[in-house]
């Protein structure tokens, strides 16, 4: 078994600070394994974490790490990625930090789609502060702030983050270990905003109140609650583990229609002299004609010439061949109008 | 790192969450006098090492120590 992932962990700080049986240790270990497997090192990887139990994760990684203010983990990660696009940015945080305090940042960072990978340690409780009901607590769960059961429905991250392509949303648990490792790997190689929702156990502050004695009993509960769905999915339902992803659909611009005007032979056009042309300047209900490269065009339908003798520097009833050199537009503006004669 | 029959157990890293004891499919691991001990019969499935959140238990190679 390959144990080279230990280079990425600060082993002199071990044993880590989390409770016995906590799922954050498993998240830390498996993320370090996946990063090592991809060949990323401390030269090109940054770990960013927020506040909470899971905020300690970046401190145990032997990488450049940022421990950010509460809820601002995604803004910091996006800033790092914007300034240094060559760095791989991984975000290690929890559900309280990402979805409740930083919920607004989660919405708008997923909309802007930066190339960062978010690992959300979703233990469905505010663990660090003692087990209050959080935004991901399932309905009916007894916590210290909801002793008769949580009355509200939890935030459906699977629906929230998969509303608009491109997206990558994976839900997994720390018990389904092979699926867990696969999700981490797929999220790290995904180009764009990828979010891994890792359902984790908090045995000391949540599990004991729910009646579980050991962390393994909680793992068995995850096994009963969730089932893995295979293959490519657009959305994940309730209690489904899997990967939902979609790439951005390329919008094909509609092809511009090219109107083909039949070439009118010069000889069949009505001959004009400059004096004749000069009379057609729009005054007295007469049409507006101008000459360009030997042809006479009818500019009566142009809104800029309507009812006046001149439009800025162009004068009606004149040969405007030389004007096109100093004009800011091209000669295609003249060709839009019908040719009515030729200049002799 | 204290060697057992087939596993190495790290006394300082271990928090005695007993995940390794419960995931073992042949139940050779147990907690006795606050220490993880091992009976004969390990099938080298690596489940204890894979599930340990504290990197406190390692299965030794076939030849012996890591």
């Amino acid at each position: 078994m390959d144990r080279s992932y230990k280079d990425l962990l600060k082993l002199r700080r071990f044993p880590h600070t989390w409770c016995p049986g906590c799922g954050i240790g498993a998240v830390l270990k498996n993320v370090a394994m996946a990063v090592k497997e991809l060949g990323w090192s401390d030269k090109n990887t940054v770990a960013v974490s927020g506040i909470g139990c899971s905020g300690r994760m970046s401190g145990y990684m032997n990488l450049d790490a940022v421990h950010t203010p509460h809820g601002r983990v995604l803004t910091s990660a996006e800033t790092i990625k914007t300034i240094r696009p060559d760095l791989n940015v991984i975000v290690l945080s929890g559900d309280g930090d990402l979805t409740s305090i930083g919920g607004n940042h989660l919405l708008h960072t997923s909309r802007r789609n930066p190339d960062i990978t978010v690992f959300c340690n979703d233990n469905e409780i505010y663990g660090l502060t003692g087990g209050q009901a959080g935004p991901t607590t399932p309905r009916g769960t007894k916590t210290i702030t909801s002793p008769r059961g949580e009355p509200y429905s939890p935030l459906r991250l699977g629906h929230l983050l998969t509303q608009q392509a491109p997206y990558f949303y994976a839900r997994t648990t720390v018990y389904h270990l092979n699926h867990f490792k696969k999700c981490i790997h797929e999220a790290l190689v995904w180009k764009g905003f990828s979010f891994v929702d890792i359902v984790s156990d908090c045995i000391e502050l949540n599990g004991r109140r729910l009646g579980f004695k050991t962390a393994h009993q909680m793992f068995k509960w995850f096994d009963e609650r969730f089932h893995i769905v295979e293959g490519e999915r657009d959305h994940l339902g309730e209690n489904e583990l899997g990967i939902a992803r979609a790439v951005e659909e390329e919008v094909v611009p509609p092809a511009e229609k090219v109107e083909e005007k039949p070439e009118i032979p010069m000889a069949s056009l009505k001959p004009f002299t400059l004096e004749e042309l000069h009379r057609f300047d729009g005054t007295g209900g007469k049409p507006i004609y101008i000459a360009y490269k030997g042809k006479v065009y009818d500019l009566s339908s142009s809104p800029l010439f309507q009812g006046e003798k001149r439009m800025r520097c162009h004068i009606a009833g004149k040969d405007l061949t030389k004007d096109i050199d100093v004009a800011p537009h091209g000669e295609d503006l003249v060709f839009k109008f019908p040719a009515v004669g030729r200049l002799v | 790192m204290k060697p057992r029959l087939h596993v190495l157990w790290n006394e300082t890293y271990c928090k005695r969450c007993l995940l390794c004891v419960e995931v073992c499919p042949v139940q050779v691991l147990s907690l006795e006098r606050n220490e993880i001990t091992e009976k004969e019969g390990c099938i080298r499935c690596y489940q204890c090492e894979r599930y340990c959140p504290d990197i406190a238990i390692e299965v030794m190679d076939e030849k012996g120590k890591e």
Side-chain angles (χ1 to χ4, degrees):
Chain A
M1 195 165 176
D2 185 22
R3 298 192 182 93
S4 58
Y5 68 91
K6 286 189 180 179
D7 305 342
L8 289 174
L9 300 176
K10 284 179 181 160
L11 288 178
R12 65 190 162 81
R13 289 199 182 178
F14 272 53
H16 45 55
T17 181
W18 300 303
C19 308
C22 181
I24 304 176
V27 177
L28 175 73
K29 188 171 121 177
N30 287 293
V31 169
M33 275 179 175
V35 168
K36 191 77 188 175
E37 223 169 71
L38 285 170
W40 297 1
S41 66
D42 53 350
K43 298 280 185 293
N44 59 3
T45 312
V46 179
V48 190
S49 68
I51 297 296
C53 292
S54 49
R56 298 265 189 151
M57 263 195 276
S58 65
Y60 291 110
M61 297 288 266
N62 210 354
L63 303 169
D64 287 342
V66 188
H67 199 176
T68 64
H70 204 348
R72 273 64 184 164
V73 55
L74 288 171
T75 52
S76 310
E78 198 184 347
T79 311
I80 294 168
K81 189 70 192 177
T82 310
I83 302 295
R84 290 284 304 273
D86 54 316
L87 293 177
N88 304 306
V89 182
I90 55 175
V91 172
L92 302 159
S93 196
D95 58 332
D97 185 68
L98 280 170
T99 66
S100 83
I101 318 285
N104 190 16
H105 299 302
L106 180 68
L107 283 180
H108 292 281
T109 313
S110 70
R111 179 173 64 85
R112 289 190 288 264
N113 198 31
D115 187 9
I116 60 178
T117 308
V118 184
F119 297 107
C120 174
N121 180 74
D122 186 357
N123 52 14
E124 300 174 334
I125 201 87
Y126 284 130
L128 182 75
T129 48
Q132 290 87 353
T136 48
T137 307
R139 196 172 196 160
T141 310
K142 287 184 178 175
T143 65
I144 59 169
T145 51
S146 58
R148 286 183 221 97
E150 169 72 12
Y152 311 115
S153 293
L155 197 62
R156 288 177 174 175
L157 283 176
H159 289 67
L160 205 65
L161 295 171
T162 58
Q163 50 167 341
Q164 188 181 344
Y167 56 79
F168 181 103
Y169 174 81
R171 191 193 290 131
T172 182
T173 76
V174 287
Y175 176 68
H176 301 82
L177 206 59
N178 287 339
H179 184 256
F180 179 28
K181 285 183 175 177
K182 186 186 152 209
C183 286
I184 292 177
H185 182 84
E186 296 278 318
L188 285 172
V189 298
W190 179 263
K191 293 279 171 242
F193 185 77
S194 46
F195 190 93
V196 188
D197 189 1
I198 305 160
V199 180
S200 167
D201 62 313
C202 179
I203 179 67
E204 294 289 333
L205 293 154
N206 186 25
R208 298 233 193 273
R209 197 176 293 109
L210 297 177
F212 302 107
K213 289 197 168 58
T214 61
H216 190 256
Q217 288 180 6
M218 245 183 136
F219 281 9
K220 286 291 168 197
W221 180 53
F222 291 156
D223 199 14
E224 287 166 19
R225 266 174 70 194
F226 296 105
H227 62 275
I228 297 174
V229 289
E230 298 289 339
E232 294 290 306
R233 285 301 198 93
D234 286 342
H235 300 280
L236 290 177
E238 295 284 311
N239 300 333
E240 281 183 347
L241 303 178
I243 300 171
R245 59 184 151 193
V247 290
E248 194 170 17
E249 290 168 14
E250 283 187 18
V251 180
V252 181
E256 285 184 16
K257 282 184 184 175
V258 181
E259 285 182 18
E260 287 187 9
K261 284 181 181 174
E263 278 287 316
I264 302 165
M266 288 284 280
S268 67
L269 290 168
K270 189 184 168 190
F272 280 88
T273 60
L274 269 176
E275 287 77 34
E276 280 176 330
L277 186 67
H278 195 65
R279 281 186 272 137
F280 295 100
D281 57 356
T283 52
K286 279 181 281 189
I288 300 160
Y289 286 177
I290 59 141
Y292 180 70
K293 283 189 179 172
K295 279 189 183 179
V296 177
Y297 294 90
D298 182 3
L299 267 69
S300 306
S301 58
S302 168
L304 298 171
F305 264 109
Q306 201 71 42
E308 291 188 21
K309 278 178 79 175
R310 52 189 298 150
M311 193 278 291
R312 297 197 184 156
C313 48
H314 306 312
I315 301 164
K318 293 261 179 174
D319 186 359
L320 299 179
T321 310
K322 282 178 185 169
D323 290 33
I324 206 81
D325 295 333
V326 292
H329 54 78
E331 57 186 14
D332 54 319
L333 283 176
V334 181
F335 294 152
K336 282 197 296 190
F337 299 102
V340 291
R342 60 191 164 95
L343 204 62
V344 289
Chain B
M1 296 288 255
K2 287 193 176 178
R4 296 289 181 256
L5 293 173
H6 294 89
V7 298
L8 287 168
W9 174 63
N10 194 322
E11 192 180 2
T12 51
Y13 288 5
C14 182
K15 293 173 188 159
R16 279 78 168 172
C17 68
L18 305 189
L19 261 177
C20 53
V21 174
E22 287 182 77
V23 296
C24 181
V26 287
Q27 287 103 35
V28 296
L29 296 171
S30 58
L31 186 76
E32 284 169 21
R33 291 188 210 91
N34 210 20
E35 287 201 353
I36 298 288
T37 52
E38 187 192 354
K39 286 187 294 189
E40 275 292 343
C42 177
I43 56 168
R44 310 178 61 79
C45 65
Y46 288 87
Q47 285 293 78
C48 50
E49 181 173 345
R50 275 154 53 92
Y51 274 100
C52 180
D54 299 287
I55 327 178
I57 194 158
E58 283 176 13
V59 181
M60 283 188 270
D61 273 354
E62 290 277 4
K63 294 161 194 164
K65 281 185 189 175
E66 193 73 12

